[in-house]
């Protein structure tokens, strides 16, 4: 039993060794294959020889299978300088592509001295070569190629184990080839007598494949480039934001912010109004109502009797659009039906053929009424009807007021007078009516009056012509219209268009009343009176 | 740029030797092998020039030159002293041989190469001295024979020996000088 155990143990050990050797043999065979292939490509002379270590030499040559002889037909004779010749034993191995390889391996060599090689086949010299063994080194590729990160952008550190050859460490030259994974275009970097290299200028966040090969530098020792190592893959550090781009974008955003702030500051009032509109409070109208009496209206009323009567009027005059008021003279003719006035006015207007006619700032209700009745003359009845519009003013008070007013003359004599075109929109209320056959024309201080060349016409006068408020009594043909203007511009939608086509035959232009009245012409808030 | 620095380096070395004659002030060890590499390249140039020249290349008489072959197994078995002796004696022989070549060669272009080679041999001697490698004292009676010598009769052979000797034994000795490896493990 013991013997079988021992035998088994021996067998086991033998198997292990054999297997290990087999793998190493396989490895060695593979390495040899690659080297043979390399030299067949790189070396033109025959026999091709290479040294792998400090004291070995392998030589081989190739022959076609058909013409190849057996190994013993060949003889390999080598001679060192100043020495006698020696012979090397030849082994034959089959190769791919119908070829045969003949090998000779020397295990003891002399360097730095010329070596003469001669190959004979059946005493016939087939190959002749003289070489230095230290000049035909073909090393194994470097082992343990590893890639590590250097901690910096776009860099990788490649490190490897140099071939373990004594005395030759300083003479080794490495070539590192690196390319992006998947790409065939790569770069190559050479380094001497080192065991690591930092690859720079790589793209961030990309996978790179790196491989390396070794050769002796050619001063004391030289040889062929080794085979490439298997490629090693490694990804570079992920990209950081380009500092230049970051700083530029920061600067631009800063500049934009400053600009927008400037714009905002310059328009802050306007924006504040839009965003946070001021809620109108009636505090200013009710002096002390909120502050003193805390909103108690009853109390406040009780304490402020004097101002009560004034307030509504004040209130009215500020808030309500005031319509035109017509004042009629006592000595006027028969009363007019209210409905008759507007059509007459429209007819009168319709009679106007002049294209320069303008209609400014008339109460829309009034205007509308005027459109309807196509009567020839202004009648007193119509005017009186208008006068029935409730108003606290008396005729005398109006006439004596300091307000500006415009008079409209209705006259029957025809006087041709040139007219100026009224196109300025800054002119205040100028209402032109054509009627009858009036021809007189009074020029208003506020601007000229348009008149038709027709017979009947109205003329207007401004109160400025009568600075002392001496209202001229022009006879029974006059009617007065008082207009109080609150100073607020209003948009009468029917009047908003510049041209009203549906008023009779004539073309009437209307203009929107604008607030920008020259101060000297008409004080804001004062009523305007139209007088006939 | 490398050759310039090496030249300057060698010149400074010689200058130092000049200014301090006979002083036992130890030189700083020259462990940089680029100096030797430069000398090797110049020796190669000389050999190539000699091969290119057709005439005026012959030696008057055969000269003794050192053996250049290196068997690593054998070399490693030798002691440091033996190695040093081998190198120093070989350099001395070469110095003698190339010196005699100088007189027999008539080509002036070759003269510059030969002078250069002689200067380089001298410089190598200085480098070895800086590495505390023992100097060689030639035996009394002139020419030294021995196992490690042989005789050449052509100038090109001589210069080839010169190149191979520098590449081989001298390089081995310098690269393995113990004083250069004291710092490293």
């Amino acid at each position: 039993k013991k013997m079988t155990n021992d035998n088994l143990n021996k067998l086991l050990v033998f198997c292990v060794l054999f297997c290990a050797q087999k793998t190493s043999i396989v490895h060695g065979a593979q390495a040899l294959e690659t080297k043979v292939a390399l030299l067949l490509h790189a070396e033109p002379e025959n026999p091709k020889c290479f040294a792998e270590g400090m004291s070995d030499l392998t030589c081989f040559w190739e022959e076609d299978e058909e013409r190849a002889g057996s190994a013993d037909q060949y003889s390999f004779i080598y001679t060192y300088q100043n020495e006698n010749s020696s012979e090397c034993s030849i082994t034959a191995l089959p190769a791919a592509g119908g070829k045969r390889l003949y090998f000779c391996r020397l295990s003891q060599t002399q360097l730095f001295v010329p070596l003469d090689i001669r190959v004979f086949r059946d005493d016939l010299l087939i190959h002749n070569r003289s070489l230095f063994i230290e000049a035909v080194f073909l090393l194994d590729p470097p082992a343990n190629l590893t890639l590590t990160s250097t901690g910096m952008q776009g860099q990788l550190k490649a490190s490897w184990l140099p071939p373990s050859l004594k005395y030759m460490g300083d003479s080794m030259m490495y070539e590192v080839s690196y390319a992006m994974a998947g790409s065939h275009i790569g770069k190559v970097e050479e380094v001497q007598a080192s065991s690591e290299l930092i690859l720079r200028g790589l793209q961030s966040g990309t996978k790179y494949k790196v491989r390396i090969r070794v050769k002796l530098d050619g001063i004391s020792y030289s040889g062929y480039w080794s085979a490439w190592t298997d490629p090693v893959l490694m990804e570079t550090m992920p990209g950081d934001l380009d500092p230049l781009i970051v700083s530029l974008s920061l600067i631009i955003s800063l500049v934009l912010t400053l600009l927008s702030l400037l714009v905002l500051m310059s328009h802050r009032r306007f924006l504040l109004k839009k965003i946070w509109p001021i809620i109108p409070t009636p505090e200013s109208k009710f002096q002390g109502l909120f502050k003193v009496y805390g909103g108690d209206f009853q109390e406040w009323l009780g304490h402020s009797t004097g101002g009560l009567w004034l307030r509504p009027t004040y209130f009215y005059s500020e808030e309500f659009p005031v319509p035109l008021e017509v004042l009629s003279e006592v000595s006027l003719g028969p009363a007019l039906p209210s409905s008759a006035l507007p059509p007459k006015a429209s007819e009168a207007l319709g009679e106007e053929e002049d294209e320069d006619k303008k209609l400014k700032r008339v109460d829309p209700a009034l205007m509308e009424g005027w459109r309807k009745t196509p009567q020839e003359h202004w009648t007193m009845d119509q005017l009186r009807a208008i006068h029935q519009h409730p108003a606290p003013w008396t005729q005398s008070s109006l006439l004596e007021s300091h307000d500006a007013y415009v008079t409209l003359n209705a006259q029957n004599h025809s006087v041709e007078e040139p007219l100026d075109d009224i196109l300025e929109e800054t002119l205040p209320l100028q209402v032109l009516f054509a009627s009858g056959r009036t021809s007189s024309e009074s020029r208003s201080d506020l601007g000229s009056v348009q008149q038709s060349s027709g017979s009947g016409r109205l003329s207007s006068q401004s109160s400025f012509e009568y600075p002392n408020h001496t209202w001229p009594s022009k006879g029974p043909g006059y009617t007065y219209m008082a207009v109080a203007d609150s100073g607020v511009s209003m948009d009468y939608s029917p009047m908003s268009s510049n041209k009203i086509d549906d008023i009779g035959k004539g073309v009437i232009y209307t203009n929107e009343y604008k607030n920008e009245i020259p101060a000297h012409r008409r004080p804001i808030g004062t009523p305007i009176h139209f007088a006939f | 740029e490398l050759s310039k620095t090496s030249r300057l380096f060698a010149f400074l070395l010689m200058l130092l030797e000049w200014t301090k004659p006979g002083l036992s002030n130890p030189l700083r060890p020259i462990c940089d092998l680029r100096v030797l590499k430069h000398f090797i390249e110049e020796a190669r140039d000389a050999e190539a020039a000699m091969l290119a020249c057709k005439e005026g290349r012959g030696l008057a008489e055969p000269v003794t030159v050192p053996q250049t072959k290196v068997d690593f197994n054998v070399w490693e078995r030798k002691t440091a002293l033996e190695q040093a002796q081998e190198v120093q004696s070989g350099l001395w022989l070469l110095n003698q041989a190339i010196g005699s070549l100088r007189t027999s060669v008539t080509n002036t272009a070759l003269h510059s190469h030969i002078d250069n080679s002689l200067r380089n041999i001298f410089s190598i001697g200085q480098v070895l001295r800086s590495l505390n490698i023992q100097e060689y004292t030639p035996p009394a009676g002139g020419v030294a024979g021995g196992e490690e010598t042989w005789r050449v009769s052509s100038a090109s052979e001589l210069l080839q020996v010169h190149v191979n000797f520098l590449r081989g034994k001298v390089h081995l000795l310098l690269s393995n000088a113990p004083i250069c490896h004291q710092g490293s493990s």
Side-chain angles (χ1 to χ4, degrees):
Chain A
K1 267 192 184 174
K2 202 178 178 183
M3 274 185 70
T4 47
N5 270 346
D6 281 340
N7 284 341
L8 277 170
N9 282 340
K10 282 180 189 171
L11 194 64
L12 192 67
V13 168
F14 179 74
C15 278
V16 168
L17 283 171
F18 182 74
C19 289
Q21 274 201 344
K22 200 178 176 189
T23 48
S24 70
I25 285 166
V26 167
H27 271 296
Q30 279 179 345
L32 184 65
E33 248 185 74
T34 48
K35 287 183 179 176
V36 164
L38 265 166
L39 274 178
L40 283 170
H41 181 74
E43 179 60 65
E45 285 192 54
N46 273 318
K48 302 177 201 309
C49 298
F50 62 93
E52 290 173 294
M54 302 290 291
S55 54
D56 62 83
L57 182 71
T58 309
C59 290
F60 68 93
W61 66 97
E62 205 181 30
E63 291 234 11
D64 289 329
E65 195 66 58
E66 311 92 49
R67 288 188 285 135
S70 65
D72 50 5
Q73 281 179 287
Y74 299 90
S75 52
F76 188 96
I77 310 293
Y78 64 96
T79 317
Y80 286 108
Q81 194 179 48
N82 305 328
E83 283 188 21
N84 295 328
S85 308
S86 309
E87 195 171 339
C88 173
S89 59
I90 298 170
T91 50
L93 285 173
K99 308 263 185 186
R100 197 180 260 208
L101 291 168
Y102 298 92
F103 283 91
C104 157
R105 189 172 171 88
L106 298 174
S107 54
Q108 206 176 7
T109 54
Q110 290 181 20
L111 276 64
F112 306 107
V113 70
L115 178 66
D116 228 21
I117 294 169
R118 275 173 291 169
V119 180
F120 295 93
R121 182 184 175 174
D122 298 322
D123 299 324
L124 193 70
L125 186 70
I126 54 168
H127 299 300
N128 189 7
R129 192 179 168 187
S130 177
L131 56 86
F132 285 89
I133 294 173
E134 75 278 1
V136 289
F137 273 104
L138 179 55
L139 304 169
D140 288 328
N144 292 358
L145 176 65
T146 48
L147 292 173
T148 51
S149 175
T150 58
M152 287 176 70
Q153 288 288 327
Q155 282 187 9
L156 278 179
K157 184 162 118 177
S159 58
W160 57 89
L161 199 66
S164 56
L165 285 172
K166 223 173 163 184
Y167 313 117
M168 295 187 207
D170 292 338
S171 307
M172 297 220 186
M173 193 163 69
Y174 303 92
E175 202 176 58
V176 178
S177 154
Y178 57 99
M180 284 193 275
S183 165
H184 290 290
I185 304 161
K187 284 189 193 168
V188 155
E189 270 205 47
E190 274 194 18
V191 63
Q192 284 239 8
S194 176
S195 60
E196 61 183 33
L197 175 69
I198 295 175
L199 302 168
R200 292 170 214 272
L202 305 176
Q203 274 189 31
S204 304
T206 332
K207 215 162 195 177
Y208 276 87
K209 68 169 187 241
V210 179
R211 47 184 198 160
I212 188 172
R213 61 180 184 177
V214 66
K215 182 182 163 180
L216 287 159
D217 66 358
I219 309 295
S220 279
Y221 308 95
S222 59
Y224 310 94
W225 276 112
S226 74
W228 288 106
T229 55
D230 288 329
V232 175
L233 293 161
M234 174 100 180
E235 197 167 332
T236 49
M237 274 175 69
D240 228 0
L241 280 175
D242 193 1
L244 183 68
I245 291 170
V246 170
S247 55
L248 276 175
S249 51
L250 274 174
I251 288 166
I252 287 168
S253 57
L254 200 72
V255 168
L256 284 172
T257 317
L258 281 169
L259 278 172
S260 56
L261 271 172
L262 272 169
V263 168
L264 277 170
M265 294 312 286
S266 60
H267 291 97
R268 66 177 177 276
R269 281 197 203 128
F270 173 73
L271 285 169
L272 212 61
K273 257 198 229 171
K274 289 286 175 189
I275 296 164
W276 199 262
I278 302 165
I279 302 165
T281 58
E283 266 195 66
S284 53
K285 309 288 187 289
F286 302 92
Q287 301 270 348
L289 169 60
F290 296 104
K291 285 179 190 162
V292 181
Y293 297 100
D296 192 343
F297 196 68
Q298 295 284 348
E299 273 212 39
W300 176 78
L301 273 179
H303 282 90
S304 57
T305 50
L308 179 63
W309 298 110
L310 293 173
R311 294 204 196 298
T313 58
Y314 188 58
F315 192 71
Y316 286 160
S317 68
E318 291 259 332
E319 307 282 329
F320 280 102
V322 182
L324 285 174
E325 287 195 38
V326 180
L327 300 173
S328 59
E329 261 191 356
V330 176
S331 57
L332 291 174
L336 305 164
S338 60
S339 60
L341 179 62
K344 281 200 179 171
S346 70
E347 199 208 354
L349 289 167
E351 274 199 345
E352 184 53 64
E353 300 266 348
D354 203 321
E355 287 219 351
D356 297 324
K357 221 174 184 48
K358 272 191 175 184
L359 186 70
K360 290 194 193 230
R361 191 89 202 303
V362 181
D363 186 26
L366 204 62
M367 193 59 203
E368 219 156 289
W370 289 336
R371 273 189 225 160
K372 288 173 191 168
T373 47
Q375 288 189 22
E376 190 105 53
H377 294 283
W378 288 102
T379 58
M380 294 308 130
D381 288 344
Q382 288 172 348
L383 290 172
R384 198 173 288 131
I386 290 165
H387 182 61
Q388 278 166 14
H389 178 82
W393 293 300
T394 58
Q395 185 180 352
S396 57
S397 67
L398 277 169
L399 290 173
E400 285 167 12
S401 71
H402 293 261
D403 303 323
Y405 45 87
V406 175
T407 62
L408 296 169
N409 271 336
Q411 293 180 2
N412 283 329
H413 54 278
S414 60
V415 171
E416 298 285 342
E417 287 190 25
L419 291 170
D420 286 346
D421 232 13
I422 301 170
L423 290 168
E424 296 173 55
E425 295 191 29
T426 54
L427 294 174
L429 304 177
Q430 290 181 13
V431 182
L432 303 169
F433 306 96
S435 76
R437 278 143 189 92
T438 57
S439 59
S440 75
E441 177 248 344
S442 60
R443 209 160 270 276
S444 137
D445 204 33
L446 303 170
S448 57
V449 172
Q450 280 183 340
Q451 287 192 5
S452 69
S453 56
S455 47
R457 62 190 62 172
L458 289 170
S459 64
S460 64
Q461 280 180 333
S462 158
S463 66
F464 292 116
E465 292 175 52
Y466 311 99
N468 294 326
H469 303 286
T470 51
W471 194 257
S473 64
K474 299 216 173 169
Y478 290 88
T479 55
Y480 293 90
M481 288 201 296
V483 175
D485 192 277
S486 67
V488 175
S489 85
M490 289 172 282
D491 187 12
Y492 299 104
S493 44
M495 296 291 132
S496 60
S497 63
N498 277 343
K499 188 172 165 178
I500 297 164
D501 287 326
D502 54 356
I503 295 179
K505 300 165 199 172
V507 174
I508 299 163
Y509 295 91
T510 62
N511 290 302
E512 232 180 69
Y513 174 74
K514 286 198 170 64
N515 236 351
E516 300 90 348
I517 293 163
H520 74 282
R521 291 188 180 244
R522 199 183 71 79
I524 293 168
T526 55
I528 292 177
H529 305 281
F530 285 81
F532 288 87
Chain B
E1 312 91 37
L2 184 63
S3 66
K4 276 186 188 168
T5 51
S6 297
R7 275 175 203 258
L8 181 68
F9 185 72
F11 174 72
L12 284 171
L13 197 65
M14 286 188 279
L15 201 67
L16 269 167
E17 181 66 16
W18 260 56
T19 51
K20 296 174 184 176
L23 278 177
S24 62
N25 192 19
L27 290 168
R28 203 164 164 212
I30 300 161
C31 292
D32 193 352
L33 287 172
R34 284 181 293 179
V35 177
L36 181 62
K37 282 179 183 178
H38 177 64
F39 296 153
I40 290 166
E41 279 171 3
E42 288 199 330
R44 273 205 184 122
D45 294 340
E47 187 197 353
M50 187 61 76
L51 282 168
C53 185
K54 303 286 183 187
E55 54 189 39
R57 334 161 17 173
L59 278 168
E61 56 180 24
V63 287
T64 312
V65 289
Q67 289 276 9
T68 59
K69 64 178 181 186
V70 173
D71 189 333
F72 279 109
N73 299 324
V74 172
W75 177 266
E76 278 169 357
R77 271 186 259 135
K78 285 183 184 172
T79 62
L81 188 65
E82 285 173 329
Q83 290 171 355
Q85 281 279 10
E86 212 173 303
V87 169
Q88 294 278 34
S89 63
L91 282 171
W92 185 86
L93 280 170
L94 280 170
N95 199 27
Q96 302 293 105
I98 293 169
S100 69
L101 181 66
R102 178 83 173 65
T103 55
S104 56
V105 165
T106 52
N107 195 322
T108 48
L110 288 171
H111 279 174
S112 63
H113 281 286
I114 290 165
D115 291 337
N116 213 19
S117 300
L118 288 171
R119 274 196 296 270
N120 292 345
I121 288 167
F122 178 75
S123 304
I124 290 165
Q126 300 302 307
V127 171
L128 289 172
R129 190 199 273 189
S130 78
L131 300 175
N132 289 334
I133 288 165
Q134 199 166 16
E135 279 189 52
Y136 173 75
T137 50
V143 179
E147 311 164 355
E148 302 295 328
T149 63
W150 59 300
R151 296 177 74 83
V152 292
S153 51
S154 74
S156 56
E157 257 188 313
L158 169 60
L159 290 178
Q160 195 193 50
V161 165
H162 176 224
V163 171
N164 293 335
F165 192 73
L166 292 180
R167 287 196 305 131
K169 290 183 180 174
V170 176
H171 187 242
L172 277 169
L173 193 71
L174 286 178
S175 61
N176 292 299
I179 200 168
C180 293
H181 298 279
Q182 272 174 6
S184 56
S185 57

